[in-house]
Amino acid sequence: MTPSVRSRLWASATSFALGFAAGNYGVLMIARPDQWAWIAVSVVLMLTGAAGVLFADTTRAVSFWAILGVELFAVFTLVPMLWTFTVATTPSGVTPRTLMPQDVTWAAFDGALSSDTLRSAAGTSLLVALLATIVSMLLAVPAAYALVQLPMRGRRIVYGFVVATLLMPVLALSGPYAAQLIDLGAYGSRLALVVPTLVVTLPLAVWLSVTVMRDVSWGLLDAVRADGASRSQTLRQFAVPRLGPGVVTVTLLVFVAACNDFAIGAGLAPDRPSLPLPATLLVASGQVDGSSAVAAAGLLWLLLPLALLLVLPRRINHLLGRSYR
């Protein structure tokens, strides 16, 4: 649907006003070199506003609200990342005073890689995420197949519960989980985090697997079976080429989500040996060598989801951009 002229003009005015305010604040209140960042953001927003006025009365399907949203999302994402990089590259004993990095040093990255605390926490995160992902995918794939293919009553209600579980505050369950782990004598164990992590990974895996199953041409499976294909032939001719890429993408997304969950680790890991890395960076920063090492470890951990986004951008966008009908 082509956006209305009024909608484009409102988006243009909002973008221009935000850019004008950011530019004036940057010029009057911010010192160099950070002042250039404010001016750059101001120029981009004001140019977006001007372009919105020029394209307001055209038939092109361009939403300037969407463009403004992407720009603001980029600002609120890149600025914290830039500050984290500045903290990570600031020399030891120096407090960063500007957003832009000054006197860059890479010692904090070496410290993060050589820190026993951070390496142990990273190992915990990877182990827990791997086990939780394997269990989740073994359960999610047949569950998604049943929700999409089998003529069962109430499948929309079941799917609604899956989506509701995704929105559930996991940290609120840490108290009951902790009580159960204490009773079982497993409180503080690395492997004890696997079952609570399923609260995050299993509904996510089902939700994404449903999208994969909905996009499959199931008539091809019927044709393969009608030709008398064996199980191995059905696997090679249908399951691997049609389901394999989507299932692999879902598995990687679930694994990354499990690696980056901090709520379960912060609530159920009482000491340093059992803390996963996100929880360590959140609540145990005083146990490592300064804030620079924590910031450096956070940036290194960010490479995992960044690599996934760079390798599979279209499949990820397809999975996350679809809804269940």
Side-chain angles (χ1 to χ4, degrees), residues 55-86:
F55 287 95
D57 199 20
T58 66
T59 57
R60 298 181 180 181
V62 179
S63 173
F64 280 87
W65 283 116
I67 294 175
L68 177 60
V70 170
E71 291 172 349
L72 293 177
F73 176 79
V75 169
F76 288 109
T77 301
L78 295 178
V79 169
M81 289 179 59
L82 179 58
W83 174 249
T84 304
F85 179 78
T86 300

Side-chain angles (χ1 to χ4, degrees), residues 3-282:
S4 66
V5 175
R6 179 178 297 180
S7 172
R8 286 172 169 172
L9 290 177
W10 272 110
S12 302
T14 302
S15 179
F16 191 88
L18 289 174
F20 184 78
N24 279 275
Y25 184 83
V27 170
L28 298 175
M29 304 298 295
I30 306 299
R32 295 182 180 180
D34 291 350
Q35 187 180 80
W36 296 111
W38 284 82
I39 293 175
V41 171
S42 171
V43 169
V44 171
L45 292 175
M46 293 176 72
L47 287 177
T48 301
V53 174
L54 295 176
F55 287 95
D57 199 20
T58 66
T59 57
R60 298 181 180 181
V62 179
S63 173
F64 280 87
W65 283 116
I67 294 175
L68 177 60
V70 170
E71 291 172 349
L72 293 177
F73 176 79
V75 169
F76 288 109
T77 301
L78 295 178
V79 169
M81 289 179 59
L82 179 58
W83 174 249
T84 304
F85 179 78
T86 300
V87 173
T89 56
T90 299
S92 178
V94 178
T95 302
R97 300 294 183 183
T98 62
L99 178 64
M100 305 300 292
Q102 305 289 318
D103 301 326
V104 173
T105 177
W106 305 100
F109 290 91
D110 293 334
L113 292 174
S114 60
S115 171
D116 293 336
T117 299
L118 295 178
R119 286 190 298 182
S120 175
T124 299
S125 292
L126 294 174
L127 176 63
V128 171
L130 178 62
L131 295 177
T133 300
I134 292 174
V135 174
S136 296
M137 293 306 299
L138 290 176
L139 297 175
V141 171
Y145 175 82
L147 287 172
V148 173
Q149 281 296 104
L150 300 184
M152 50 182 275
R153 291 184 177 182
R155 58 181 178 179
R156 291 182 178 272
I157 298 176
V158 173
Y159 188 77
F161 278 115
V162 171
V163 176
T165 306
L166 283 172
L167 305 176
M168 184 173 56
V170 179
L171 193 59
L173 301 177
S174 60
Y177 276 132
Q180 292 296 321
L181 292 176
I182 292 173
D183 291 340
L184 295 173
Y187 188 61
S189 169
R190 284 181 172 182
L191 296 180
L193 298 177
V194 174
V195 175
T197 303
L198 293 176
V199 178
V200 176
T201 58
L202 183 56
L204 179 61
V206 173
W207 178 56
L208 294 176
S209 297
V210 164
T211 302
V212 173
M213 297 293 176
R214 287 184 57 248
D215 290 340
V216 172
S217 177
W218 294 100
L220 180 60
L221 175 61
D222 296 334
V224 170
R225 289 175 174 174
D227 290 338
S230 62
R231 286 190 176 183
S232 61
Q233 291 174 328
T234 302
L235 184 66
R236 292 195 307 270
Q237 298 177 13
F238 174 78
V240 172
R242 301 295 176 177
L243 292 175
V247 171
V248 169
T249 304
V250 171
T251 303
L252 293 175
L253 285 173
V254 172
F255 177 75
V256 169
C259 284
N260 288 279
D261 181 76
F262 69 89
I264 294 175
L268 298 179
D271 51 16
R272 189 174 69 183
S274 59
L275 277 174
L277 184 60
T280 298
L281 300 180
L282 179 69

